[in-house]
């Protein structure tokens, strides 16, 4: 990195990616059994308006979920930390642990804010420890 200026010429364009790591790993439990659930959010689908829905501002996501065999369409899950709660319903089951899941908050808090508050930083497998608060700043890409 120190030698980068040696490789640049007049007129070159240097683009810096300052994207933040998204706390996309949600830890929670199945409702009503209480069994542990892990959900890694992969991508958000476009909002699908449903005027008959009683769910306020739901979002639909593609996610990797564990335990995969037990999370069939219609399964309900809850993710929580402190006073923040995210509800979820599995909509579809795909291969290799992928699921389509609808997520929402009942408190009126925007879902993005709730995910930011309770989500965990998805650390790579070679880091064999739980994420820490400092990882939100330290584990970033430039």
């Amino acid at each position: 990195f120190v030698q980068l200026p040696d490789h640049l010429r007049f007129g070159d364009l240097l683009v810096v990616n300052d994207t933040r790591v998204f706390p996309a790993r949600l830890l929670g439990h199945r409702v009503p059994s209480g069994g542990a659930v892990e959900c890694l959010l992969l991508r958000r689908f476009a909002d699908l308006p449903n005027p008959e829905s009683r769910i306020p501002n739901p979002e639909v996501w593609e996610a990797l979920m564990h335990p995969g065999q037990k999370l069939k369409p219609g399964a309900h899950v809850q993710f929580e930390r402190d006073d923040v709660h995210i509800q979820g319903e599995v909509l579809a089951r795909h291969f290799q642990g992928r699921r389509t899941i609808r997520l929402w908050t009942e408190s009126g808090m925007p879902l993005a804010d709730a995910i930011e508050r309770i989500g965990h930083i998805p650390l790579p497998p070679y880091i064999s420890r739980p994420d820490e608060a400092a990882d939100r700043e330290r584990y970033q890409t430039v």
Side-chain angles (χ1 to χ4, degrees):
F1 194 81
V2 171
Q3 297 171 344
L4 179 62
D6 297 338
H7 299 282
L8 297 176
R9 295 180 300 232
F10 181 79
D12 284 351
L13 174 66
L14 179 64
V15 178
V16 177
N17 176 1
D18 65 353
T19 304
R20 307 292 295 168
V21 172
F22 178 58
R25 186 172 174 238
L26 302 176
L27 304 175
H29 61 272
R30 288 183 283 145
V31 177
S33 73
V37 169
E38 181 175 346
C39 178
L40 180 63
L41 300 174
L42 300 176
R43 69 181 171 114
R44 182 175 178 246
F45 292 115
D47 291 333
L48 304 172
N50 181 356
E52 299 176 15
S53 176
R54 298 181 319 225
I55 299 171
N57 302 315
E59 293 183 9
V60 178
W61 286 78
E62 177 183 16
L64 286 171
M65 295 188 75
H66 181 79
Q69 298 302 321
K70 297 184 179 184
L71 295 167
K72 297 180 170 82
H76 288 266
V77 294
Q78 183 172 6
F79 308 99
E80 57 195 354
R81 181 187 289 179
D82 301 327
D83 60 341
V84 179
H85 301 267
I86 297 175
Q87 308 296 322
E89 178 186 8
V90 176
L91 300 177
R93 184 176 170 179
H94 310 288
F95 61 92
Q96 296 179 337
R98 292 181 185 258
R99 300 287 184 277
T100 301
I101 185 169
R102 179 185 301 132
L103 298 172
W104 70 94
T105 64
E106 293 180 343
S107 68
M109 176 185 285
L111 185 60
D113 293 347
I115 292 170
E116 187 67 35
R117 295 236 342 246
I118 71 171
H120 296 264
I121 297 295
L123 298 176
Y126 58 84
I127 297 178
S128 57
R129 62 167 173 76
D131 67 315
E132 302 167 352
D135 291 326
R136 287 181 180 247
E137 293 302 320
R138 183 175 11 166
Y139 189 68
Q140 299 298 331
T141 301
V142 174

